[in-house]
């Protein structure tokens, strides 16, 4: 894993929400960011060269692993531009399209959910295991933070390199982490696996989607860094005040929501039972509520703190809240919808940076920061300069 030194100028964090096939939206944003970095520093650079921590939940966890898992040359398995083609190729097999739409489809889907998950997860397991192989948590090219939830212990389990260093039983395969973090209730089966700690002890894991506790993992990522700051024996973050938001540069990418499409109403939900809350108009209201509420609360919390400490511009959240129809779904993988999701990502680049109104909780255009595309270009320059400063300092230290 890459190591930095005390002279680093900024602590950089990338965070990617969960959202199933809507991972196409942040994948499109990341491809743009990496292209900007390559314009500045050459075609060989990759996203993970610039971030101290990359965090991801569910589909965001898979993207995190793709960006940070090493190939045989100790470089990332995937460039950011390769993630979108990955979703297009494998998404329809991970989420095979069955009978959808209309009253009959909703009833059939609801009855099926009473018997088991919507998808068996076999293809997801296969493709993740093939791509990530035997790569383990400690081998990632930069620090990662991937939340899951252990249903046997009934508590969140966040996989980080730091924890793997302290607790060898947590140094598990990246493929198992990704499968566990993506095991959304009602969509995929829970994931069970075992791991050994090198001393003959065996530990078991019973994981479901990290989205039930941290669909937006930005706060978990910041908390992980803050925890390491408190440790005097960590050379990467020692000497930094955990509340010094001026030292942070945070990019948080959402996967879209339907907050403003008014897809559900109290009148509609008043008579819902189990089936109604689990399937309505080919959606999953209960999961939608949990994931969107979790993501928004994290955004609100971080925006409030950074704003109060006069560091609002150090936190960039890119999210679209007006998805409707199939593009708002986590599992519609028709060719038409995959194309629409890519268009959502491209259009999002052209939209103004959104600023959270701390009084109303609503998002408003922040004209002073320009478009998301312009903000990402500025962010890329900061990342590039930060990396160059670190490389200079490392070169100086190597001569001592």
């Amino acid at each position: 894993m890459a190591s930095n030194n005390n002279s680093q100028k900024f602590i950089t964090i990338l965070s990617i929400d969960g959202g199933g096939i809507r991972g196409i939206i942040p994948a499109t944003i990341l491809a743009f960011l990496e292209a900007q970095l390559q314009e500045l520093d050459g075609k060989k650079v990759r996203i993970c060269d610039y971030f101290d921590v990359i965090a991801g939940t569910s589909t965001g966890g898979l993207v995190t692993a793709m960006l940070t898992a090493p190939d045989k040359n100790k470089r990332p398995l995937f460039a950011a531009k390769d993630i979108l083609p990955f979703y297009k190729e494998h998404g329809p097999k991970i989420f095979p399209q069955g009978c959808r739409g209309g009253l009959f489809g909703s009833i059939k889907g609801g009855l099926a959910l009473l018997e088991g998950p919507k998808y068996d997860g076999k293809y997801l397991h296969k493709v993740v295991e093939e791509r990530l192989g035997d790569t383990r948590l400690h081998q990632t090219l930069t620090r990662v933070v991937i939340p899951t939830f252990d249903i046997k212990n009934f508590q969140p389990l966040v996989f980080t390199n730091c924890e793997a260093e302290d607790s060898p039983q947590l140094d598990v395969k990246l493929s198992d982490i990704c499968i566990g973090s993506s095991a959304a209730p009602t969509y995929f089966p829970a994931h069970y696996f075992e791991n050994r700690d090198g001393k003959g002890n065996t530990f078991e894991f019973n994981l479901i989607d990290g989205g039930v506790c941290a669909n937006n993992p930005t706060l978990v990522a910041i908390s992980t860094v803050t925890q390491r700051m408190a440790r005097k024996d960590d050379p990467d973050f020692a000497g930094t005040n955990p509340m010094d938001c001026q030292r942070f540069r945070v990019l948080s990418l959402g996967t879209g929501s339907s907050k403003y499409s008014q897809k559900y109403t109290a009148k509609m939900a008043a008579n819902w039972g189990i089936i109604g809350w689990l399937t309505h108009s080919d959606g999953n209201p209960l999961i939608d509520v949990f994931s969107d509420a979790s993501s928004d609360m994290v955004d609100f919390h971080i925006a409030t703190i950074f704003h109060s400490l006069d560091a609002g511009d150090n936190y960039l959240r890119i999210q679209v809240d007006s998805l409707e129809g199939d593009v708002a779904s986590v599992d519609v993988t028709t060719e038409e919808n995959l194309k629409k999701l890519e268009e959502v990502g491209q259009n999002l680049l052209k939209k103004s940076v959104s600023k959270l109104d701390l009084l109303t909780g609503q998002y408003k255009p922040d004209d002073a920061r320009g478009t998301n595309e312009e903000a990402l270009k500025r962010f890329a320059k900061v990342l590039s300069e930060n990396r160059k400063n670190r490389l200079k300092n490392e070169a100086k230290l190597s001569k001592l």
Side-chain angles (χ1 to χ4, degrees), residues 16-20 55-65 124-125 128 145-150 157-159 172-185 187-193 205-217:
I16 310 160
D17 285 15
T57 298
S58 192
T59 196
L62 177 58
V63 173
T64 295
L124 174 64
H125 293 205
V128 170
V145 173
I146 304 178
T148 66
F149 190 90
D150 192 305
L157 177 57
V158 180
F159 288 95
V172 303
K173 291 182 180 181
L174 275 182
S175 58
D176 282 319
I177 298 175
C178 290
I179 293 169
S181 184
S182 300
Y187 287 99
F188 292 114
H191 185 49
Y192 174 86
F193 65 95
F205 298 85
N206 300 266
L207 305 182
I208 62 171
D209 193 341
V212 302
C213 57
N215 197 59
N216 176 350

Side-chain angles (χ1 to χ4, degrees), residues 196-393:
R196 293 177 174 80
D197 64 357
K199 299 180 180 179
N201 301 310
T202 299
F203 297 82
E204 65 175 35
F205 298 85
N206 300 266
L207 305 182
I208 62 171
D209 193 341
V212 302
C213 57
N215 197 59
N216 176 350
T218 312
L219 186 58
V220 179
I222 293 177
S223 298
T224 299
V225 172
T226 302
Q227 185 181 49
R228 301 307 290 186
M229 288 176 178
R231 292 182 52 156
K232 305 302 181 183
D233 61 340
D234 191 327
D236 293 336
F237 300 124
T240 302
N241 181 349
M243 294 304 292
D244 185 7
C245 292
Q246 299 294 341
R247 284 289 305 277
F248 285 88
R249 294 295 184 274
V250 181
L251 174 60
S252 176
L253 303 180
T255 56
S257 76
S258 54
K259 181 188 298 185
Y260 301 123
S261 67
Q262 300 181 345
K263 64 189 298 186
Y264 307 127
T265 67
K267 185 176 181 180
M268 292 165 56
N271 296 316
W272 287 350
I274 293 176
I275 293 179
W277 276 103
L278 292 180
T279 176
H280 181 80
S281 298
D282 291 326
N284 191 318
L286 194 60
I287 300 298
D288 290 345
V289 169
F290 279 129
S291 61
D292 285 1
S294 169
S295 295
D296 289 346
M297 286 302 295
V298 168
D299 186 26
F300 183 85
H301 179 75
I302 296 175
T304 302
I305 291 179
F306 273 65
H307 178 78
S308 65
L309 296 175
D310 196 28
D313 288 344
N314 295 356
Y315 169 63
L316 176 60
R317 171 73 169 170
I318 299 181
Q319 171 72 315
V320 56
D321 296 309
S322 56
L323 301 184
E324 294 183 345
D326 285 348
V327 290
S329 173
V330 299
D331 64 338
V332 176
T333 55
T334 61
E335 183 177 351
E336 179 184 9
N337 199 52
L338 296 179
K339 183 178 180 180
K340 285 183 178 179
L341 285 168
E342 182 181 1
E343 291 173 352
V344 169
Q346 294 292 349
N347 292 335
L348 187 54
L349 287 169
K350 305 297 182 183
K351 291 184 177 180
S352 295
V353 172
S354 295
K355 182 178 182 179
L356 184 65
D357 187 320
L358 302 182
L359 295 178
T360 66
Q362 303 295 312
Y363 286 91
K364 298 180 179 179
D366 186 354
D367 296 330
R369 299 176 74 178
T371 65
N372 288 315
E373 187 174 80
E374 292 168 338
L376 284 170
K377 288 181 178 180
R378 293 193 297 270
F379 200 92
K381 290 180 179 178
V382 171
L383 292 174
S384 175
E385 190 62 31
N386 195 48
R387 178 173 177 266
K388 289 174 182 176
N389 289 337
R390 293 185 183 188
L391 292 175
K392 289 179 182 178
N393 291 329

